Amino acid sequence: MTSGAYNPFKPAPSKTALQKIFPWTEAPLVASAPMRLISLAPLAVEVSKAGGLGFIGSGNDQSNLEETLKHALKLSVEAKLPIVGSKGETFLPIGVGFLNWGADLEYTLTLLKQYRPVAVWFFAPRSTEGLVEWTTKVRETTFGITKIWIQIGSVKEAVEVVKGCKPDALVVQGADAGGHGLNNGAGLISLLPEVIDTLETLVETRNIEQLPTIIAAGGIADGRGVAASLALGAEGVVMGTRYLAANEAQLSPGYRNEVLRASDGGQTTVRSSVYDTLRGTTEWPKEYGGRGVVNKSYHDSLSGMSLEENKKLYDEAVGKGDEGWGESGRLTTYAGTCVGLVKKVQGAGETTKEVRLEADAVLRRLKG
Amino acid sequence: MTSGAYNPFKPAPSKTALQKIFPWTEAPLVASAPMRLISLAPLAVEVSKAGGLGFIGSGNDQSNLEETLKHALKLSVEAKLPIVGSKGETFLPIGVGFLNWGADLEYTLTLLKQYRPVAVWFFAPRSTEGLVEWTTKVRETTFGITKIWIQIGSVKEAVEVVKGCKPDALVVQGADAGGHGLNNGAGLISLLPEVIDTLETLVETRNIEQLPTIIAAGGIADGRGVAASLALGAEGVVMGTRYLAANEAQLSPGYRNEVLRASDGGQTTVRSSVYDTLRGTTEWPKEYGGRGVVNKSYHDSLSGMSLEENKKLYDEAVGKGDEGWGESGRLTTYAGTCVGLVKKVQGAGETTKEVRLEADAVLRRLKG
């Protein structure tokens, strides 16, 4: 094979690599996304209990993070999840996600030192330099117990992040993802293989030592998406939208009902900055937009309604509670294009196990 | 299982279903897209020769179609491809693609009657009613020898088309596809499973008799994309962008070089109507746009350059020939987000076989 060429015949990485790092997990690794304000301790711990890896979404504001970590520790102990490693080191068997454009590094370090979650997930920094600082300091502070996951949405970002930060895992987010991601992007079907090929070329040319663990995100809602991601070269997956329907997700019934109702997400969701603007979350770097179900706020914005008027109507909708969501509502339903595959409410642990079993069944079917 | 619920444990459809219909093909079926002006007889026949199914792109203008079909027949005979079926019926072992918004039904029928390609591929009709007419008349004219493939890009379209036309195959096109597709869409990772689940619900509720064969398209450029598509539920795949680099593709070296150069297609390609407008192909129904590599025409359009001025510069670039393509060029390079996975020029037959072998290798690796 020539340098950088894709070789499907080479041996697969050990299937247990991730299970060595996160010993309570089962292959293929299913993680829950660190959805801001939605993914709190109950959701994260339920996913980890089921052999997955749950992430808390601490977002850009760490003011409630200590309380959430305490809660996660309590739930982990109750669930008899491992919190002491083979060398006597203590850890918390969940991860924590940060929006690096707004998160507070120094305060985060004090919490990581104390609670040592097994992973942090970085996303949307103002610069790669900032990300290098976060990565270096977290590694120093937690003695490597806390693995570094970094989310990217393009081949260019993948190269910058892997060269600069040497993350333990690279979360490759396709354009189908709900919530925030790059305004322009490719789906996993083309993004994932190209990221892997490009990084393999960097290994061959000795620009990097090795590939990080590749985790797929964006549009995955069941075992078929998991099996497809493995075929594309991922070692594990993340789901967000699917976990919006988990009992443990911290969200209003109005939001959840809209997730269950919406279908044909390629037509009925859109990536935009309109929802951010209405919600007052205006500090996102300009290259990111949030994918959500199309509603009246979006249509009115498209039709040229002033932001002032739209915001006024949005604020009125907030007062309506659960009725504020829906097609003719104005409250934001961040969700991925896979929203139409999410049809039932169940425990996050049940979802995690079910998806893993489905993926196994799909792979067995393909052998036949 | 409840009605319409996804059941990964149910038996897979016979792997040889497609091979019974197209007896020279091998599983998984790899088809080449009917790219307008680019996919002519040499490309289509090479793909069929290699155990795939090649499509001629007749587009919206059938003026050269008879000549192309004659050429395909000659090449098929030379290649000793089967042209007589088990019941003595004659056929042409390739397919023909139509852009139904502009194609001429009556003239097409006279050619289909004479040449009987094994498949037609319908896309982008002005209405579903029009598509029903095409489907009915083609079936009558070719006594069912010519199978009906219909391309859709949303769950809504899938339901309408399957109810109205009962196609033999449904080509499910994800948003990553190059060239024309719905302006808004989902990637295959979520679109394919939702289309299948929705159609299965229609079978259970007796709205349709059975599922058509499901073919995946959009962002697939190698065996990993094929294996992923099978995991998502497809029985075969179509590639377009990958075949732009085939020796037999009818395109300028400038176009091909730009396909080989471009990478990170989620960032460097865009779906837009700008390229159509400059090229004077303005009859597309408004819901479709063409994905191509971003170039100066696009940037100038974004920056507010008048169409008149942009068109003048485009026409000048046409005069430059191969130099007119490229990042700082103005000629259109329609390509999918997988453009960065296309790195070598080779025969279309070699590509077809290679991709099939890669898919097998990926599936074997996943068993391990």
Side-chain angles (χ1 to χ4, degrees), chain B residues 26-100:
Chain B
E26 292 178 39
L29 184 74
V30 174
S32 59
M35 297 179 283
R36 192 173 76 106
L37 309 175
I38 293 171
S39 303
L40 300 180
L43 176 57
V45 173
E46 281 303 308
V47 171
S48 286
K49 263 173 71 179
L53 177 57
F55 276 86
I56 284 170
S58 91
N60 55 317
D61 172 5
Q62 282 62 58
S63 57
N64 293 316
L65 182 55
E66 178 155 28
E67 191 188 330
T68 306
L69 289 169
K70 260 187 202 162
H71 192 192
L73 178 58
K74 178 170 170 285
L75 293 174
S76 297
V77 170
E78 284 171 10
K80 300 194 167 58
L81 272 166
I83 55 165
V84 183
S86 57
K87 292 169 193 160
E89 77 282 14
T90 58
F91 58 82
L92 194 56
I94 57 157
V96 183
F98 297 89
L99 298 174
N100 295 72

Side-chain angles (χ1 to χ4, degrees), chain A residues 265-283:
Chain A
Q267 308 307 310
T268 61
T269 69
V270 67
R271 190 174 296 289
S272 159
S273 59
V274 168
Y275 299 127
D276 277 333
T277 308
L278 295 172
R279 289 154 61 97
T281 320
T282 53
E283 295 159 283

Side-chain angles (χ1 to χ4, degrees), chain A residues 79-95:
Chain A
K80 299 194 167 62
L81 271 166
I83 56 165
V84 183
S86 58
K87 293 168 190 160
E89 77 282 13
T90 58
F91 58 82
L92 193 59
I94 58 156

Side-chain angles (χ1 to χ4, degrees), chain A residues 155 176 187 190 194 197 264 337, chain B residues 155 176 187 190 194 224 264 337:
Chain A
V155 179
D176 292 285
S190 53
E194 191 180 351
D197 288 357
D264 209 359
T337 64
Chain B
V155 179
D176 292 286
S190 53
E194 191 180 350
R224 292 169 289 188
D264 209 358
T337 65

